[in-house]
Amino acid sequence: MKITPREIEAHLATLQSTPAVLSRVSSDLDDVRLRQRPQPGQWSLIELLAHLSACAEIWGDDIQEMLSCDIPTLTKPHPRGVMNEARFRERSFEGLLASFAALRDELLRVIVPLESAQWARSAMINGRPHTVFSQVRRMALHEASHYDQLHAIRSAITAK
């Protein structure tokens, strides 16, 4: 996979904007609304934030490992299991968003100044090869794929 500066910039822009998107979507909603599911079996806003936080934590850790070790072999849990841990489930939306934003700031502090060769640093994660770039790309595309869902949840719970 050829890594271009333009692609890196696009993915960094997405990662930089996600905390603000989450903040805008949740503004003026109380805890009851933030925990309200639009339909049975669908995620609430806080559950979706817990999902994004778990992904950011796991994938961000992968990136840190790739940058600090030569081709580490990592076994990682699935984010959907991690998001159900009490440290995500029992927090307030505001507290979870603050943790997500701090985690994101730290990740960006590390990856924004990377040299081109560092984007290709790699690891074997759950038996599959990944690079710093592929994990950043994965995280950015994943978060962007949930933006419409965030807005749809907000619309559904405020319409009730």
Side-chain angles (χ1 to χ4, degrees):
M1 170 187 310
K2 182 160 172 49
I3 304 168
T4 67
R6 188 174 186 171
E7 267 190 295
I8 291 169
E9 288 175 22
H11 297 314
L12 289 175
T14 298
L15 296 181
Q16 289 167 333
S17 68
T18 299
V21 169
L22 290 162
S23 183
R24 280 192 304 275
V25 167
S26 64
S27 69
D28 76 353
L29 296 177
D30 62 20
D31 190 62
V32 171
R33 293 278 174 133
L34 292 165
R35 293 181 185 281
Q36 183 178 349
R37 290 180 171 182
Q39 298 290 325
Q42 293 181 345
W43 283 344
S44 65
L45 285 172
I46 197 162
E47 288 170 317
L48 186 49
L49 173 56
H51 171 69
L52 294 174
S53 295
C55 293
E57 183 178 285
I58 292 166
W59 298 340
D61 182 59
D62 295 344
I63 292 165
Q64 295 280 7
E65 289 286 330
M66 284 184 257
L67 291 170
S68 63
C69 302
D70 289 331
I71 314 174
T73 298
L74 308 170
T75 302
K76 299 305 246 196
H78 194 282
R80 287 190 185 212
V82 173
M83 70 179 269
N84 290 318
E85 293 177 6
R87 65 193 171 97
F88 291 112
R89 193 180 62 247
E90 296 173 2
R91 300 211 36 209
S92 69
F93 190 95
E94 183 178 282
L96 193 53
L97 180 55
S99 293
F100 177 86
L103 188 65
R104 178 53 43 86
D105 287 345
E106 175 59 21
L107 177 67
L108 291 169
R109 185 190 66 72
V110 169
I111 64 175
V112 166
L114 291 179
E115 300 291 328
S116 58
Q118 291 173 299
W119 286 95
R121 289 188 59 88
S122 64
M124 289 298 290
I125 304 170
N126 294 338
R128 296 174 50 195
H130 292 274
T131 64
V132 169
F133 176 77
S134 72
Q135 286 299 82
V136 167
R137 179 180 180 274
R138 177 184 192 188
M139 193 182 307
L141 293 175
H142 177 253
E143 289 176 10
S145 76
H146 283 294
Y147 287 178
D148 288 342
Q149 183 183 11
L150 287 162
H151 293 289
I153 293 169
R154 180 184 169 85
S155 293
I157 63 175
T158 57
K160 291 183 178 184

